[in-house]
Amino acid sequence: MIKIAIVGFGTVGQGVAELLIRKREEIEKAIGEFKVTAVADSKSSISGDFSLVEALRMKRETGMLRDDAKAIEVVRSADYDVLIEASVTRVDGGEGVNYIREALKRGKHVVTSNKGPLVAEFHGLMSLAERNGVRLMYEATVGGAMPVVKLAKRYLALCEIESVKGIFNGTCNYILSRMEEERLPYEHILKEAQELGYAEADPSYDVEGIDAALKLVIIANTIGVKASYEDVEVTGITQITPEAFQVAAEKGYTIRLIAEVSREKLKVSPRLVPFHHPLAIKGTMNAAMFKTDTAGSIFVAGRGAGKEETASAILSDLYEIYAGPR
Amino acid sequence: MIKIAIVGFGTVGQGVAELLIRKREEIEKAIGEFKVTAVADSKSSISGDFSLVEALRMKRETGMLRDDAKAIEVVRSADYDVLIEASVTRVDGGEGVNYIREALKRGKHVVTSNKGPLVAEFHGLMSLAERNGVRLMYEATVGGAMPVVKLAKRYLALCEIESVKGIFNGTCNYILSRMEEERLPYEHILKEAQELGYAEADPSYDVEGIDAALKLVIIANTIGVKASYEDVEVTGITQITPEAFQVAAEKGYTIRLIAEVSREKLKVSPRLVPFHHPLAIKGTMNAAMFKTDTAGSIFVAGRGAGKEETASAILSDLYEIYAGPR
């Protein structure tokens, strides 16, 4: 019986809970029986014997869970085998670092969707996991359901990855695709994106390139380029004009916010992309192009955000930990 | 010490040998020490203590290996842990079926790039592997270095894969992309492709859709749709005219040879694809779009053929068998 604790019970945590409820049969067929033994957010929690369906309902109706114990207490003392750490990303790592560290120290596997801790302490946390004989999985931190982490770590493990160029922020890609189509000013399209729910009221985390840079740091460390957030040269999309799209189009190019890592480069910036290049992808999609020595160029694309897509990436990590060879 | 036998010593088998020589250090770091204990083709072989570099040279210079023992004898009696089966695909399965079956019966892992055996006996061979407690891996059979098999079997294991639409033949995609650009007749572009080495002197295996259909059968069985070659409705690209591209372009479409599998459909045929759709990919690339319930649509693309790319997919299977958790 696999005992699962979920910490962080906002969109992602709730999405995981929903999939665990809805897909219990398939999941148990693949990885064996499981039970959610604790759920916590920063203010409240529930653990022991409880109904996950009830916990979801209580959180939605009251904003709280049953008990006073906070996330950190649950991480330290609840009975679980794997921690799903789904709290909200903070650029400095935030409380998530403590949740992950405490769980690893107790010899528990961790699956996280939280970029902050990995950006702040990638190698420290990885070696803590190794020393304790457990896994720290983080597919959901980059590109939602797009399989970039496992592609880099497993599938391309025997290749040299020379560079990764990616579109890691759906908000920026939506705004740029729409500017390309409509030739309207940035502010106009940003407003549209906000109305559609593709951009936050304060969009700076996305449009300044911060989110893409955090993901780039995670990918860089994954492929063996040691990097921290300060190492990334970041330019956002707020200064791009409809005229820039016009000039680019005349030469057969569009503009996309590209995050790139190689031995020489760690950079997030608006770049010219030929119309027919795979990275000229439109809408809220995320995409990544891996350049390798022997496997050539491998391209992947998928929904980079969304409750179900992120939860689905978390489940793929659970599968990787617990499923046998296939 | 992992003991590897290579059967089939044409382009792919030699490509694997070259990578095993060139990347020995990285490979051993990832999966442990290995030794190639036997190499065979349909007429000759070498086994026991020998230099792989020498074997490669002898094969290239004389077309033969040192000993008279043929592939099937080597498979049956050589000392190895994993068989790399890289013989040429035959639609009816060919000798490859016997190589794979005999190796599995002896409790040896098999990694194959040969589509024939999997198309002819997918479920029989898979359950033979399972009964003998070994793995039968086949990433290299579909899409070269493009990670479709592991994507379907592992990454998306907890998703329902509703459909896969793919471009699985680089020759057809090259011809169609060039017809799109040049608006010249099929015969003209075919000749160009033959001169460039992208099409065979007898191109029917590619242009009639046979190769794409074989790969589709493998993908279908991988995602749980039981299928044999006879179940696929196949139309090739030989009847497509420059005028068809003209008419399509006026509505914003191009034409690609699409292989599609879902619960209702198993079909290879030329299809209209919107210009900006990821499957409108150009050149000799392969591509696949997975439609899933919870991970949304996942798109992958890469070099579908080539000695190093195919060898690289075989190495990724070796890694999957022998590498520990990462």
Side-chain angles (χ1 to χ4, degrees), chain A:
Chain A
M1 172 75 79
I2 301 165
K3 285 172 273 183
I4 301 173
I6 302 173
V7 159
F9 208 44
T11 309
V12 175
Q14 291 182 34
V16 171
E18 287 166 15
L19 286 193
L20 290 175
I21 292 166
R22 208 169 86 213
K23 297 200 153 205
R24 177 177 284 275
E25 203 181 314
E26 297 100 294
I27 298 170
E28 295 200 325
K29 227 169 114 180
I31 68 171
E33 286 188 14
F34 71 85
K35 187 181 172 190
V36 176
T37 54
V39 177
D41 58 26
S42 53
K43 297 191 213 96
S44 63
S45 63
I46 188 164
S47 54
D49 254 335
F50 65 94
S51 144
L52 189 55
V53 175
E54 286 301 317
L56 259 175
R57 184 171 347 184
M58 184 182 289
K59 168 78 182 183
R60 277 178 195 149
E61 284 172 6
T62 67
M64 300 286 284
L65 292 159
R66 196 184 56 195
D67 307 331
D68 286 340
K70 291 174 189 168
I72 191 68
E73 299 165 54
V74 166
V75 168
R76 284 196 181 123
S77 56
D79 177 25
Y80 62 92
D81 304 309
V82 52
L83 176 70
I84 294 179
E85 204 282 294
S87 35
V88 173
T89 292
R90 309 232 174 269
V91 177
D92 66 355
E95 269 297 287
V97 178
N98 298 328
Y99 302 158
I100 295 177
R101 202 187 280 136
E102 294 294 316
L104 294 176
K105 275 192 205 160
R106 289 184 65 196
K108 314 298 186 188
H109 299 296
V110 174
V111 175
T112 185
S113 59
N114 182 350
K115 295 178 280 293
L118 289 172
V119 171
E121 293 197 28
F122 190 92
H123 297 284
L125 293 174
M126 285 296 155
S127 57
L128 185 59
E130 211 181 330
R131 282 202 305 278
N132 285 281
V134 288
R135 321 256 313 254
L136 168 53
M137 310 285 285
Y138 55 98
E139 185 70 63
T141 58
V142 184
M146 184 172 76
V148 281
V149 176
K150 288 188 199 72
L151 186 68
K153 286 186 82 158
R154 297 196 67 88
Y155 186 79
L156 299 175
L158 297 180
C159 295
E160 193 189 323
I161 298 174
E162 293 160 3
S163 67
V164 182
K165 278 189 205 176
I167 291 174
F168 293 137
N169 185 274
T171 304
C172 289
N173 209 60
Y174 176 83
I175 292 173
L176 295 176
S177 320
R178 291 288 295 153
M179 285 181 75
E180 173 190 339
E181 286 162 4
E182 304 292 336
R183 300 285 158 79
L184 287 168
Y186 166 76
E187 291 74 18
H188 183 103
I189 303 286
L190 170 64
K191 216 176 144 214
E192 176 191 292
Q194 287 168 324
E195 282 163 11
L196 288 165
Y198 295 156
E200 305 284 338
D202 173 3
S204 54
Y205 176 71
D206 293 312
V207 299
E208 301 291 355
I210 300 166
D211 176 65
L214 293 171
K215 292 167 181 165
L216 187 65
V217 170
I218 295 173
I219 286 293
N221 286 296
T222 300
I223 67 169
V225 176
K226 286 200 181 184
S228 62
Y229 184 72
E230 293 68 37
D231 301 325
V232 190
E233 196 186 321
V234 188
T235 314
I237 63 165
T238 59
Q239 302 302 315
I240 298 172
T241 61
E243 292 71 35
F245 278 99
Q246 181 62 39
V247 174
E250 282 160 15
K251 312 235 173 213
Y253 291 85
T254 183
I255 301 168
R256 291 290 182 267
L257 186 71
I258 303 293
E260 179 174 7
V261 53
S262 67
R263 302 283 143 197
E264 297 78 36
K265 201 181 255 183
L266 201 64
K267 189 172 174 177
V268 173
S269 63
R271 303 262 286 267
L272 293 172
V273 178
F275 276 130
H276 284 288
H277 194 279
L279 288 174
I281 200 159
K282 292 197 175 202
T284 57
M285 298 290 275
N286 278 203
M289 176 76 85
F290 288 74
K291 208 178 146 205
T292 75
D293 58 345
T294 51
S297 287
I298 308 268
F299 178 78
V300 288
R303 284 288 309 279
K307 179 166 78 167
E308 274 208 341
E309 288 81 358
T310 307
S312 166
I314 288 175
L315 289 195
S316 96
D317 281 348
L318 259 191
Y319 179 87
E320 200 60 38
I321 297 174
Y322 289 108
R326 298 275 154 143

Side-chain angles (χ1 to χ4, degrees), chain B residues 9-11 14-15 17-18 53-65 307:
Chain B
F9 208 45
T11 309
Q14 291 181 34
E18 286 166 15
V53 175
E54 285 300 316
L56 259 175
R57 183 173 348 186
M58 184 182 286
K59 169 78 183 184
R60 276 176 195 150
E61 284 171 7
T62 68
M64 300 286 285
L65 292 160
K307 180 165 78 167

Side-chain angles (χ1 to χ4, degrees), chain B residues 140-159:
Chain B
T141 59
V142 184
M146 183 173 75
V148 280
V149 175
K150 288 188 199 73
L151 186 68
K153 286 186 82 157
R154 297 196 67 87
Y155 187 79
L156 298 175
L158 297 181
C159 295

